[in-house]
Every structure is written in structure tokens, then in C-alpha cells.
Amino acid sequence: MRAKDKQKILKTVDKLVEYNETLRKFRGSSKYLFDKILRECNKLVDEIDISDCSFEEHEALGEYKKLINSPEYDADLVKKVLDVFFQQIQEENETYRVLFLPYKYSMWDSFESIFEAAKEDENCEAYVMPIPYYDKDQEDNLTEIHDESGSYPDDIGIISWQDNQVDEIDPDVIFIHNPYDGNNRVTSIHPKYYTNKLVCKDRVVIYVPYYVSYTEDKEVMVTMGGAEFYADYVITQSEQYKKRFEQLMDDYKKKDDELNDLIVSYDNGNKFIVLGNPKYDKIRSLNKYEHPLRDDWKEKLFDESGNRKFTMMLDTTIEILLKKRKVLLDKIGDIIDFVENHNDLSLIWRPHPLIKPTLVNSCPELLTTYNGLVNRCKNLDNCIFDDTNDMHTAMAWSDAFMGKYGSMIELYRVTKKPTIMLEIGEKTNFESNGIYDEEGLKTKVSDCQVTREKDYGLGNLIDFSMKYQRDEAEDKIGQTDGKKIYDFAIKAAEMKMN
């Protein structure tokens, strides 16, 4: 029996028990009040949805109705029948309906382990309905529509947004991972899925960020897209991130009275919950066998003898591009130059998928330089430009990482492979003098810490990374972040129903 139906029936029975005591009181003393309450009892019984009730529950409800409409009203017998019916309903298993609304397949990993936990729960109906999104022009108009429903594996069993409506599905919990609604300058999910249209008094809407961030640097931006105001809960990756969200929410309240009223009206007093992120689960279980290489990648990552080259992964975030602009592109050019001159190395460059439309809208003067770097990377024998939907192949097959802030650097450190924070704007030293604490660096990497170009020099860190041997022994993975988030969601739904 669906949990919300069960709770509704139990509340109705409580009301019927209360009415029974009132009927006992007015029996023989006030026919008007007695008949009025009796009509209300019949109405409440008729409103009970008996579609999921058992034969025994049908019988108990029928017996109750017969007793209350008997000329000889017996309050004690009525109470006994109500107690039996209440106990029968109380013992029913509670089922929950959970709806996932992803919009980009490349971000599915922010839901995946939650979905797996939901599928393993026999009392859960889990639905995945990928929703469409639009590009935007410079005037903020919605232009081309995208629907990535066809990208999902068959075993997920998606349902079509064109054939199904959220209210018809009637979920107890909705998971979203797009925070912007219509507030992003580059894209927008379909307006009918904006968060304020999803929230409802008898369901829980939970925003799980599609990203994680490296938050040890104070200059890393923490922003809100808008969905956080409306969602019942926001899942955060750490206590530090939770505090930043809470501070940002307080700052918004102080800025604008109208915004303050909006935030207060949707504030449940405990909106930000620290439960990690499913993206970590994906990385912890990452292996090469689940991400086989395409032939064109094999040609660039292996030498003529079939030996795999030492492979570095380069990440480029939108945030650092908008901050550093041409200086960042110069850094990328220097790294490509270095790899081109070292055929024993290979490079996988994976920029954020929205970098090109961001350049078109915000920095069109950089577009020619950027396109030139992309073409260079694609044409080199030991470089790969990764614009696929799946970042995990690059993460599984690379041996070290280079980047500045963003989700990638935060996730890559969990692989326990060397993770290098680049310096943008300083002259890059690719030479290695061999003077560095190798044991200290090993400890940092095995403890999932990020190493910094500014502390060691990029040449030294590349040299160390090539020597580093990761312990391939499997780490024991306890309860996943996804399972913790799912369990929390069900408890949150129970609380809202009650």
C-alpha cells in the first residue's frame, strides 16, 4: 500500500474514532447532532480509497458501515471494528514512489547510486524521466531543444516526459540535479519542470548537486541557481559546503525583502543536509574494464609495442576560464606543447561541456584561440580531446590529473592517483630537479589530498606522478552516499506525510 494512502486512511480512522465518542455522547440526547456526525462518518468512509485494501480490510470497513447505520448504535462494537481495521492498515507494508528528473546524461552519476538504492528496496517504485532542456541566445530566449532520453542504458528503464506528467505519476519524492531553472544564461530546463512547479504539500523535492567542488580554497565560488530556495532539501558534500550554503542563503535574505519572503516561505529550518554525493560513489568503484577504450583512443594512449603511455588528464572549468580568460588558454597551450615534445606521454583534455557556448556568449574574442587549441589537440598523435558524454573513461585510463578547482579535481583525488592543482598566470616550469619529498607526496596522494604546482613545480609533480605506484588493492566501500541519501529521502517523505 502506498505510504501516503496508508497515512491518509489512518488519519481518517483516527477521526472516525473521535466521532464515535461524540456519537456515544449524543446518542439519545441530540438527534440533530447525532445525524449530522453520522452523515460525516459515512462520507469519510466513502472517501477511503479501498483499491489497495485486502479482503479482510474490505470486510472490516463494511462491518463498520453496517454498525453505524444500524438503528441500535453500539459505540463499543463500532470501536472494536475500528480498532481491527486500524491494526490491519497499520500492518500494511508502506510503498513509496520516487521520481528522478535528470536532464543531461553526463550528469546521471549524481543520481546513479541513489537510483540503485531505490531499485534494491522492494517497497519502492523508482521512475527515471529525463527532461528536455533548451539553449539560450544572448537575449535570454529559449532556442534549440535537447532531449537526451536516448542516451540512457536500457536497464535503467526510463519513462518518456512526453507520455507522462509529474502529477499523474504522483511521486512521494522527486530528485532534481539542475539548480538553475531558468536562471542560467546558457541553458534552461523545460519551464514546466522548474522547481516551484514541482514542490507540493504531500511530496518531498530534493536537490542533489550535479557537481562537487574543491572547497579548500577560499576563492572558490559557491553559488545558488534558484532551485535551492524552493526545494525541501539540498544535499551537500561536506559540513564546510553546508556552512557556505547557509551563509549564502542568509546573505540573500538581507539583500532583498521580496527574496527574503520567498526564502522564508520555503524554509523548513533544516534545508541543507550533509550526505556526500553519488558522484563519489561512482569514482570509488571506477575501473577500466567497465570503460573500454575506443580504437582511436587506443592509438593515442598505447605505443607501437602495445605498452600504455603515462597519461595525464587536463580539466578546464568555466569558472577559471571566465576569471583568467586568455591566460588560461596560454597555460593549456603550454601543456599541449610539452606533451607534443614527449612521445612517451599522452594527454586527455576534457573541458567543461558548456565552455564553447559560454565563450560564444561571454568571451567571443577568445573563440578563435580556443578552437585553435582544440584542433591542435585533436591532430596530435598523443593527445585526445574528450567531448564525450562520459567523463569516467578519461578518469579510469589516466594516471594523473591537472586542473584548477571544479568538480573534476574534487572527484579525481578520490581515485588515489596524483591530482595536481595548476597555477594559472605564473610561468610554467616543466623541468624536474628531483628535489622533492617523494614519501610525503605519496602520503598526500594516498590520503586523497591535492598537490599544488605552486609548492613543487609542475615538472617535479609530473616526474613524481610517473614514478608513483598506486595500490590496486580494492578499498572497502561501506554504505554508499547514494544509499544514505535514499534513506534520508524516505524518512523525509514519512515526516511530511505525518
Side-chain angles (χ1 to χ4, degrees), residues 50-98:
I50 59 173
S51 57
D52 286 336
C53 289
S54 67
F55 175 76
E56 291 77 16
E57 290 159 358
H58 276 268
E59 278 197 325
L61 206 55
E63 181 65 17
Y64 166 77
K65 195 161 185 180
K66 187 171 86 172
L67 285 172
I68 64 170
N69 292 303
S70 171
E72 300 297 325
Y73 188 92
D74 189 328
D76 291 330
L77 279 178
V78 170
K79 177 67 165 58
K80 284 179 182 178
V81 172
L82 284 174
D83 287 345
V84 168
F85 182 66
F86 184 91
Q87 188 61 35
Q88 289 170 334
I89 299 297
Q90 186 81 309
E91 291 172 0
E92 286 278 1
N93 282 336
E94 296 180 353
T95 62
Y96 292 85
R97 196 168 288 173
V98 177

Side-chain angles (χ1 to χ4, degrees), residues 226-454:
E228 299 91 341
F229 300 145
Y230 298 100
D232 292 283
Y233 297 99
V234 175
I235 303 301
T236 62
Q237 67 187 63
S238 65
E239 285 290 344
Q240 183 184 11
Y241 217 78
K242 175 186 176 181
K243 288 176 184 175
R244 291 197 184 194
F245 264 128
E246 288 175 335
Q247 182 59 57
L248 195 57
M249 190 74 91
D250 287 341
D251 292 344
Y252 274 118
K253 285 181 183 179
K254 295 170 187 174
K255 283 180 182 177
D256 188 310
D257 289 339
E258 189 174 321
L259 195 55
N260 182 38
D261 291 341
L262 169 67
I263 293 170
V264 169
S265 65
Y266 287 95
D267 188 5
N268 61 17
N270 192 28
K271 186 182 286 283
F272 301 101
I273 309 295
V274 181
L275 291 172
N277 192 289
K279 296 179 84 73
Y280 292 122
D281 296 330
K282 183 76 172 180
I283 301 305
R284 291 184 188 113
S285 61
L286 202 59
N287 64 69
K288 297 184 181 75
Y289 310 105
E290 292 181 359
H291 300 277
L293 289 176
R294 298 175 352 196
D295 288 341
D296 56 332
W297 281 39
K298 283 182 184 177
E299 292 173 0
K300 297 194 174 191
L301 299 188
F302 287 79
D303 63 22
E304 293 178 354
S305 301
N307 299 312
R308 192 164 67 84
K309 300 176 183 180
F310 180 82
T311 302
M312 296 179 291
M313 181 177 176
L314 173 63
D315 173 46
T316 313
T317 68
I318 290 178
E319 176 186 345
I320 199 66
L321 175 66
L322 293 176
K323 279 184 177 180
K324 300 295 185 178
R325 301 198 173 217
K326 186 177 183 303
V327 178
L328 173 65
L329 299 184
D330 290 342
K331 183 79 170 186
I332 295 169
D334 290 344
I335 291 171
I336 292 175
D337 287 343
F338 175 76
V339 175
E340 182 179 15
N341 293 322
H342 291 78
N343 201 42
D344 57 332
L345 303 179
S346 58
L347 177 73
I348 302 173
W349 176 24
R350 184 179 175 85
H352 190 286
L354 294 179
I355 274 192
K356 193 161 185 178
T358 301
L359 284 174
V360 171
N361 281 352
S362 304
C363 319
E365 72 280 4
L366 300 179
L367 198 56
T368 300
T369 304
Y370 176 77
N371 287 336
L373 290 171
V374 171
N375 290 330
R376 270 196 68 202
C377 182
K378 288 180 176 179
N379 291 327
L380 288 175
D381 293 337
N382 58 344
C383 287
I384 293 170
F385 182 78
D386 182 11
D387 58 355
T388 64
N389 275 340
D390 180 16
M391 68 178 177
H392 299 107
T393 301
M395 297 183 83
W397 285 90
S398 57
D399 303 294
F401 175 94
M402 298 179 292
K404 185 76 170 177
Y405 307 143
S407 291
M408 283 281 197
I409 200 165
E410 171 66 12
L411 288 171
Y412 202 93
R413 65 179 184 83
V414 178
T415 67
K416 298 189 176 182
K417 295 188 284 190
T419 307
I420 302 167
M421 176 76 78
L422 293 174
E423 280 302 301
I424 312 297
E426 302 295 327
K427 182 172 174 57
T428 305
N429 181 8
F430 287 101
E431 297 298 322
S432 173
N433 57 19
I435 304 174
Y436 53 84
D437 180 4
E438 188 171 342
E439 288 304 314
L441 282 171
K442 281 182 180 178
T443 300
K444 278 179 177 267
V445 174
S446 63
D447 287 345
C448 300
Q449 294 184 41
V450 171
T451 59
R452 295 172 179 271
E453 178 186 358
K454 70 176 182 180

Side-chain angles (χ1 to χ4, degrees), residues 77-292:
L77 279 178
V78 170
K79 177 67 165 58
K80 284 179 182 178
V81 172
L82 284 174
D83 287 345
V84 168
F85 182 66
F86 184 91
Q87 188 61 35
Q88 289 170 334
I89 299 297
Q90 186 81 309
E91 291 172 0
E92 286 278 1
N93 282 336
E94 296 180 353
T95 62
Y96 292 85
R97 196 168 288 173
V98 177
L99 177 63
F100 296 83
L101 295 179
Y103 80 110
K104 287 184 71 68
Y105 174 65
S106 61
M107 299 170 182
W108 172 245
D109 59 341
S110 64
F111 281 164
E112 191 169 10
S113 60
I114 309 175
F115 177 65
E116 288 169 356
K119 281 202 306 181
E120 288 174 5
D121 183 357
E122 61 182 14
N123 294 318
C124 176
E125 297 176 31
Y127 298 91
V128 178
M129 189 168 76
I131 58 176
Y133 63 96
Y134 292 88
D135 293 331
K136 281 186 171 183
D137 62 22
Q138 292 183 338
E139 281 74 46
D140 209 40
N141 298 309
L142 303 182
T143 57
E144 184 179 358
I145 189 171
H146 303 274
D147 180 2
E148 299 192 4
S149 299
S151 302
Y152 292 77
D154 291 340
D155 60 355
I156 291 178
I158 66 166
I159 61 174
S160 167
W161 65 274
Q162 293 169 308
D163 299 333
N164 298 276
Q165 301 298 321
V166 171
D167 288 342
E168 289 176 354
I169 297 168
D170 189 26
D172 303 302
V173 178
I174 296 178
F175 285 106
I176 61 172
H177 65 189
N178 180 296
Y180 300 109
D181 291 339
N183 300 320
N184 192 328
R185 290 183 298 172
V186 180
T187 61
S188 169
I189 59 173
H190 193 296
K192 75 175 181 178
Y193 300 106
Y194 288 171
T195 315
N196 65 327
K197 298 177 182 178
L198 299 177
V199 291
C200 187
K201 64 179 180 180
D202 64 347
R203 73 170 64 126
V204 174
V205 177
I206 299 179
Y207 164 53
V208 182
Y210 66 78
Y211 63 91
V212 291
S213 296
Y214 185 71
T215 55
E216 290 188 18
D217 289 285
K218 292 181 180 178
E219 59 185 290
V220 174
M221 291 191 301
V222 175
T223 59
M224 287 188 182
E228 299 91 341
F229 300 145
Y230 298 100
D232 292 283
Y233 297 99
V234 175
I235 303 301
T236 62
Q237 67 187 63
S238 65
E239 285 290 344
Q240 183 184 11
Y241 217 78
K242 175 186 176 181
K243 288 176 184 175
R244 291 197 184 194
F245 264 128
E246 288 175 335
Q247 182 59 57
L248 195 57
M249 190 74 91
D250 287 341
D251 292 344
Y252 274 118
K253 285 181 183 179
K254 295 170 187 174
K255 283 180 182 177
D256 188 310
D257 289 339
E258 189 174 321
L259 195 55
N260 182 38
D261 291 341
L262 169 67
I263 293 170
V264 169
S265 65
Y266 287 95
D267 188 5
N268 61 17
N270 192 28
K271 186 182 286 283
F272 301 101
I273 309 295
V274 181
L275 291 172
N277 192 289
K279 296 179 84 73
Y280 292 122
D281 296 330
K282 183 76 172 180
I283 301 305
R284 291 184 188 113
S285 61
L286 202 59
N287 64 69
K288 297 184 181 75
Y289 310 105
E290 292 181 359
H291 300 277

Side-chain angles (χ1 to χ4, degrees), residues 465-479:
S465 298
M466 294 179 73
K467 296 175 183 175
Y468 177 75
Q469 296 294 317
R470 176 174 171 256
D471 184 3
E472 294 290 344
E474 284 190 1
D475 296 317
K476 289 186 178 178
I477 300 175
Q479 188 183 41

